[in-house]
Structure formats: structure tokens, C-alpha cells
Amino acid sequence: MVVKRIVLLFAVAQVVLPASVAFAAGDAGVAELAAEVGSKGWIVYAARSSENGTWDLFLMRPDGSQRRNITNTPDHEEGGPRFSPDGRRLLYRRFAKGTVIHHDLWGFQGELMIAAGDGSAPVQVGADKEYPWASWSPDGTQIACLTMKGIQIVDLDTKEMVRQLPRKGIYQQLFWSPDGRWFCGVANARIMWTVVRMNAETGELNIVQEFQSCTPDWFPDSKHIIYPSRPAGQKGYGFTQLWMSDGEGGGAKMIYGEDGYHIYGGALSPDAKYVLFTRCAQDGGGSEGAGAPICVMRMADAPAIAGPSPDLRKVHPDAKEAPVLQLVDGWEPCWTYADVGAK
Amino acid sequence: MRHRMARMCCAFVVVPMLCASCAKKTDPGVDAQVTSLGSVEVTAELLEIPGEVRNDPLYDYAHVMKYKVLTVHRGQVDKDVIYVGQYNPAKPRDAAADARVGQIGGNLKQFRVGDVHRLAMEVPIDDYYMGGIINKYFGQTEDPVYWALWTNRVVR
């Protein structure tokens, strides 16, 4: 009888509890954070499907609830989803089944797909490897692509290239700012793995952060950039932390770090009050495997350090113990406040 | 008498054998790829590999090395000293090609300063390669960086 009750309780918990785990700053603080973000829009991300084993796209509430597979394609892998600025559409890349999604090359791999924000009505745009590193324009009518020849602005209706700028050493992870004035990306500037900002009109380039920094993305204000960075001076290989700077490279500060984990997938909520990231024991973010736990934290709690991290705490003595909501395993999450997931 | 025989043996048997042996070891590094890939083909001496050649399985990059041009076989090279980006140089050239760079290769197993290579190349590197570049010459020269497509060992 007791066993039956335990089994029943476990079954109920599986159904009722969101797919989230508390892991930092106490369960009460994390539960409070979960309650705070639970109704604030939707997160889209890629993850290995338990149904078909391939990478699919999923939607969930920011507390991990109402999770559902929105592509469910056993014959393809999908990744790199990005909501359009109004949240009504998604762009992502679709790969042949069995493709190893390379953490640095994925924007060059596969086909560009555009769908409704809930993943419905997917349309293939171009052929394999076309429109690499596609990124939305502010009004969603154009995309910026990073090609060997340069940064190409493409009209989505006509598929015509309307403008091209020299790429000036940018080689991956191009993103257009929400106000349309800038691009950010990873470049060979003075050294490789440098996060840079480019003026979208003039092509003028400035360094944001040098040395072992990558995967930049924009804050909603288009004035700040979030990026993972593996600073020098750590013991051995070191660990990748989540950082931010202003667009000119000033005011660099750590958002979250944890010795033993590499922090990638940094993205902001639309009001910049919360930050998404993934924490992965292996460097690279986990796209070659099954991703890594997606986490949510308040930006007001930055800089934060989790775990013992004694060396990191010496470098950042002002860092806090922040509530961090750990959700399911995934890769490259993106957040919208549009009501794309409501059924 | 015995000494005379030995000298004759040396003159007519050993010396020609040694010369033949030497001749066999000479190799201009020619093959079908190095003579056809890219727009530039040179024989050049590797003068310098600045910095550490990294062997990182997680990240790929090109490492810019300094060469002294000995012979230009194809294309136009205006300088005696050129800068060449070699992709993942910790790997033998026949194991360096991957999804990022496509067809690169050659028979060179290891980069060593002082060795002579026959190279098929394109220029500038940014028109043919998108990825991390270790360029310790940044800011020291305005010369273009070549992109090595095929690298064979030359034995002179």
C-alpha cells in the first residue's frame, strides 16, 4: 500500500512539476524566481527529442512548464532558433538526419527555415548551406547573412541581396542589433576569438572583447552585448563565463561564472530583466552531444558565482549567490514575450 | 695490391651507389594537386613559426607562418618573403581537411623551420577561409596573407 502511494506521488510529480531543478541560492529563492518568470512569455530552444532521438525545437514557459516539441521531425535535426523581433516568426537551421551540429559551424550548416512563432507552417528558404548565420532585421523583412564575400542583407520576400558590406575578419556568429544600427560577431581582429561590433551603415568595426570570447548577442537596448568569455589567468584550460560590455567595449563585467562549467547560450529576456544561459561541463556548449541545462537568472543578481569556485571568487569578491533556475537540457535558447505558445 | 683493389672498388662501386642514393632522395614535391590547385604555386623555405602550434581538438584555426620564396612556379608573387596561413598545423596535411575548409592537403607530416615546401595557395586568406587565424605578424606588415591549399615536402 505504501509502495503504491509512493509510486502514485512520483507519477503525480512527473505530471505536475515543471521540468526544472533548483540548484543555487536555496530552493525558496529559486521557487520565487520560477513563480516570477512562469508567465513571462516563452523560450524556444533545440534539444534531443526523447521521441525520435533527433534534435528538435521545443517551446516552454520560462519556469520549464508547458514544454512541447514544435518540430518533431524524425528525419531531420533542427537548431539555432531565433524569434523575430515581434516574436511572431522563428528562423532556425534544419540539418540532414545524423548531422553532428558543430558548435562553431552550425550557422554554415543545413538549410535556413522560417516558421510561425509556434513552429507551425515551416518553409525552407534556400538550399543547403545558403543564407549562413541568418539574423533578423528589426522589422523582420530582411535577414543579414555572413558569407565569405561579406555581410549580405537579403530581402525575405524577393530573396534578393539588397546590400553587402565587407566582413572585415568576422567569421562566425553574426547578429543584427534590435535597432538595426549594428552587427556583432566573432572576428580575427588583433587576435582571433574577438567579439566585435560593426556599424551596419558604414562597416566601421570596433573591438568589444578580445581573447577567447565568442557567441555574442544583443541586449534589447542595442547598446550592450552579452558573450561567453574564457579569461586568461585561470589554472589550466580554465572555464568559460558569461560576460557583458557596452558596444564600445567598455564596462566589461561578468554576469555568471562557475568553476567546473562552461557557460554559453547567453540571451536576455525582452525586458533585459532576466538572462538565459547553458552550463556545460565540456567546453563548446554541447551541440555535438545533447546540449546542457538551460538556466534562468535575474540580471539584478549579476555578477553571480555558483558552486565552490574558490579561484573565481577571489577574482570577483563582489559576486553574489543568486537564485538560478535550472531547466531542461538544450542549446541556444531564445526568449520572447509574445504569446506564441498559447494553445 | 689489396689497397689498390679497395680504392678501385670505392671509385667504381661505392661512390656511384652513394650518388644514386642521393639522387633518389631528392624530391621537388610535385603532384597533381600542388600543380593545379589555387592560383599561386611556389617552392619556399619555412623561415618562422611564431608562437605555439596548438593542438586543440575543439577549435580549428589557421596559423600564419613566414616563408622565403625560392621559386615561383605559377601565379605572381612580388615579395621574397611571404606570410602563409596553414590550417590546423598540428595535423599532417593529409589529415587536415574538414567541413570548414574542404580540399586542403599535401604530403607534409610536420612543420619544421628550415624545411622547404612546395605550396599551392590562394590570396588573400579572407577570400578563401572563414575561421580563427593566429597571426603574430598582425600590425607588423601590410603584406597579404596567403592561404595554403596544398603543402608538399621538398627534398633538395
Side-chain angles (χ1 to χ4, degrees), chain A residues 203-339:
Chain A
E204 189 183 350
L205 194 84
N206 69 268
I207 289 171
V208 175
Q209 178 69 31
E210 287 189 313
F211 191 70
Q212 294 179 169
S213 301
C214 65
T215 337
D217 200 357
W218 288 98
F219 274 62
D221 67 3
S222 298
K223 292 176 180 167
H224 294 84
I225 294 173
I226 186 170
Y227 53 88
S229 183
R230 182 156 51 94
Q234 301 184 69
K235 283 180 189 163
Y237 188 85
F239 295 100
T240 310
Q241 303 143 12
L242 193 60
W243 283 69
M244 65 176 286
S245 297
D246 65 40
E248 292 173 357
K253 83 170 191 183
M254 190 185 74
I255 295 171
Y256 179 89
E258 184 178 1
D259 285 349
Y261 292 92
H262 296 272
I263 310 304
Y264 282 97
L268 279 300
S269 62
D271 58 7
K273 287 186 176 172
Y274 307 97
V275 59
L276 281 171
F277 56 84
T278 58
R279 55 193 287 271
C280 190
Q282 288 79 40
D283 194 10
S287 66
E288 289 87 351
I294 297 171
C295 299
V296 179
M297 190 185 90
R298 292 185 192 92
M299 277 302 291
D301 290 333
I305 293 176
S309 308
D311 296 332
L312 190 56
R313 289 181 193 280
K314 282 179 199 161
V315 182
H316 300 276
D318 59 333
K320 305 163 193 164
E321 290 283 346
V324 175
L325 180 61
Q326 180 169 299
L327 307 172
V328 292
D329 282 4
W331 174 65
E332 289 289 319
C334 181
W335 195 329
T336 183
Y337 281 175
D339 199 13

Side-chain angles (χ1 to χ4, degrees), chain B residues 58-74:
Chain B
L58 200 56
Y59 295 104
D60 305 305
Y61 64 96
H63 195 130
V64 179
M65 303 178 183
K66 187 193 276 188
Y67 280 89
K68 180 183 179 187
V69 177
L70 304 176
T71 309
V72 178
H73 306 285
R74 282 188 293 133

Side-chain angles (χ1 to χ4, degrees), chain A residues 33-65:
Chain A
L33 174 59
E36 187 177 313
V37 297
S39 61
K40 290 181 181 292
W42 297 86
I43 293 169
V44 65
Y45 62 100
R48 289 264 183 211
S49 166
S50 57
E51 297 157 67
N52 61 53
T54 66
W55 282 94
D56 285 335
L57 301 187
F58 293 80
L59 278 179
M60 66 179 171
R61 288 292 196 182
D63 64 354
S65 64

Side-chain angles (χ1 to χ4, degrees), chain B residues 31 57 66 95 104 131 140:
Chain B
D31 65 19
K66 187 193 276 188
I104 65 166
Q140 295 177 27

Side-chain angles (χ1 to χ4, degrees), chain A residues 102-105 108 146-148 167 169-172 188-193 212 230 237 264 283-284, chain B residues 54 56-62 87 98-101 125-136 138:
Chain A
H102 190 289
H103 64 281
D104 279 334
L105 296 178
F108 297 114
L146 178 64
T147 75
M148 192 86 79
R167 65 183 173 91
I170 298 177
Y171 58 86
Q172 61 190 48
N188 296 300
R190 287 187 291 245
I191 57 174
M192 62 178 182
W193 297 115
Q212 294 179 169
R230 182 156 51 94
Y237 188 85
Y264 282 97
D283 194 10
Chain B
R54 294 191 206 175
D56 185 342
L58 200 56
Y59 295 104
D60 305 305
Y61 64 96
Y87 185 65
D98 62 17
R100 186 192 291 270
V101 296
I125 191 169
D126 276 345
D127 286 357
Y128 300 92
Y129 168 72
M130 281 179 88
I133 301 174
I134 295 175
N135 184 2
K136 301 284 186 185
F138 183 89

